[in-house]
Amino acid sequence: MMVFDVVDDIQGAVIVALLAELGRNADTIGFVVQGDIAAEGKQLLDQIESAKVSDSIQQSWPGTTLLNGFGRVLEYHINPSVLKAMTDFASGLFDWSKRSFPEDLFMTSGTTVLLETVGHERAAFVRSEEMSPYFKALSTTA
């Protein structure tokens, strides 16, 4: 498994393509909600509610382990409407870091984390058995 450290924020059509490529191998996509959520975030949650797999209170999730406190971790089945809602909500990979918005976007395949982000630290990692040359150009191998 190769690990790619994303070195720049991925925006627009490129984030749509990255999520679609990873989505071919992923089972779930998720994020964390801490505290109150903004109206725009509530709209996203309502829009993708039917694809929800889990909603739990946890102290850790891909990319983060809290020393104190907990976060609400939400996971959804991957499908085209969920991916579209995600990219309509946030146009960049590091946009998932605003207070009162969903944070720390991640994608999993079984127990393997394919995408993990820590938006407020502008950190992201992509794991893949193979990655298109297009996405290799956006990252460096960790």
Side-chain angles (χ1 to χ4, degrees), residues 73-129:
V73 180
L74 299 156
E75 291 186 74
Y76 301 85
H77 286 292
I78 295 282
N79 67 51
S81 64
V82 169
L83 291 176
K84 178 162 180 9
M86 297 288 193
T87 55
D88 286 348
F89 176 75
S91 62
L93 192 59
F94 297 138
D95 289 352
W96 296 83
S97 62
K98 301 171 188 168
R99 251 313 170 214
S100 76
F101 277 63
E103 303 177 70
D104 298 350
L105 184 67
F106 62 88
M107 295 175 84
T108 62
S109 174
T111 59
T112 302
V113 178
L114 301 178
L115 171 69
E116 71 181 75
T117 67
V118 184
H120 68 277
E121 292 184 13
R122 298 186 67 80
F125 299 93
V126 174
R127 291 174 185 82
S128 180
E129 291 297 328

Side-chain angles (χ1 to χ4, degrees), residues 57-77:
I57 303 300
Q58 298 182 29
Q59 206 163 13
S60 66
W61 52 87
T64 300
T65 300
L66 298 176
L67 298 176
N68 296 309
F70 296 87
R72 180 179 172 204
V73 180
L74 299 156
E75 291 186 74
Y76 301 85
H77 286 292

